[in-house]
Amino acid sequence: LQWLRNPGPQHEKRTLFGDMVCFLFITPLATISGWLCLRGAVDHLHFSSRLEAVGLIALTVALFTIYLFWTLVSFRYHCRLYNEWRRTNQRVILLIPKSTNVPSNQQSLLGLQSLKRNSKETIV
């Protein structure tokens, strides 16, 4: 979620949202189309020519191959963008634990410094 809130390149975010919308529309369409093709292939095997059934099965295989290829390429692209972002946008804060050697007024200053951290920073 921090990547989505980051004011970085908007092109990458638009691509992610576009791919998510496409995935949400294409998945049910591919499923229904594949089911209809296979259903037609079964009907053609029982009632008419086997050539049409083989054609419908080949169409189903091609449809799902293209769908899986697009899904894998899109997923790999977005994973690569996320890993690149994670590598280049690291923020780390080192919190020093309270010790018995530090006077109480310095301990309170350390506590105040840790409260003033930015929400995008990681606590270690």
Side-chain angles (χ1 to χ4, degrees):
L1 292 177
Q2 188 178 8
W3 177 78
L4 294 174
R5 286 186 250 154
N6 187 14
Q10 293 298 317
H11 171 72
E12 295 172 359
K13 294 174 190 169
R14 275 186 264 134
T15 303
L16 175 65
F17 288 126
D19 284 347
M20 288 172 56
V21 168
C22 288
F23 182 78
L24 291 175
F25 281 119
I26 291 174
T27 299
L29 289 175
T31 304
I32 291 168
S33 298
W35 181 78
L36 287 173
C37 285
L38 289 178
R39 186 77 183 139
V42 168
D43 289 343
H44 280 291
L45 281 174
H46 289 290
F47 301 116
S48 64
S49 76
R50 296 189 188 279
L51 184 62
E52 291 176 1
V54 170
L56 285 172
I57 291 171
L59 181 64
T60 304
V61 169
L63 175 72
F64 282 118
T65 302
I66 292 168
Y67 171 75
L68 287 174
F69 178 74
W70 174 79
T71 303
L72 291 174
V73 167
S74 178
F75 184 73
R76 183 174 177 228
Y77 171 74
H78 291 295
C79 285
R80 187 178 56 86
L81 285 179
Y82 173 72
N83 287 332
E84 182 179 320
W85 173 83
R86 200 174 68 180
R87 206 174 350 104
T88 59
N89 293 299
Q90 295 182 9
R91 290 189 175 176
V92 177
I93 293 178
L94 181 60
L95 294 178
I96 302 170
K98 294 180 181 180
S99 68
T100 57
N101 302 9
V102 181
S104 62
N105 60 352
Q106 287 182 355
Q107 284 181 355
S108 62
L109 288 176
L110 287 173
L112 288 176
Q113 288 174 353
S114 66
L115 291 176
K116 292 181 182 180
R117 69 179 181 274
N118 189 350
S119 64
K120 293 181 182 179
E121 297 171 335
T122 303
I123 298 174
V124 177

